[in-house]
Amino acid sequence: LVSTRRPILTGQVDQLRALRDLDAETELERRPTVLVDLETRGDLAVLTFEGKTLEFPARVRGELDYVLETDDSFRPSDLPGKLDEAGRLVLVRRLVRDGLLRIIG
């Protein structure tokens, strides 16, 4: 189900436009309709959701766990782990672009 479910991406065009202004203090949230699975495969953290599989270095597993486990909105600056600000922005931009997260602030 997680790998084959069709995405519900209401407002995604506006989300893509808003990526230009995303910074470390932008409020984000996980889309409530997304069903997702996260696993570690060797040196990769693999996210599977809505027909997509995204691979990240396993070292960002903590940041991904945070994104998936938090029920509240958060900012890129809230992410745990060792990523610097630029790395956190790259990560959340990718997750917004692919529809896991949405910008709310």
Side-chain angles (χ1 to χ4, degrees), residues 30 36 44 48 61:
R30 188 171 28 88
V36 62
L44 296 175
T48 304
R61 173 73 193 238

Side-chain angles (χ1 to χ4, degrees), residues 15-76:
Q15 292 291 305
L16 296 175
R17 285 187 193 120
L19 282 175
R20 288 177 283 193
D21 299 322
L22 188 138
D23 63 26
E25 299 306 312
T26 301
E27 290 286 323
L28 302 161
E29 69 181 358
R30 188 171 28 88
R31 286 183 179 266
T33 58
V34 173
L35 300 177
V36 62
D37 184 41
L38 174 61
E39 60 183 320
T40 302
R41 295 183 197 156
D43 61 349
L44 296 175
V46 181
L47 276 177
T48 304
F49 65 99
E50 298 182 338
K52 298 177 186 179
T53 299
L54 306 180
E55 296 179 343
F56 300 93
R59 70 178 185 279
V60 301
R61 173 73 193 238
E63 289 88 338
L64 294 171
D65 282 333
Y66 179 86
V67 166
L68 299 180
E69 292 171 4
T70 189
D71 291 326
D72 299 322
S73 65
F74 64 93
R75 298 178 303 269

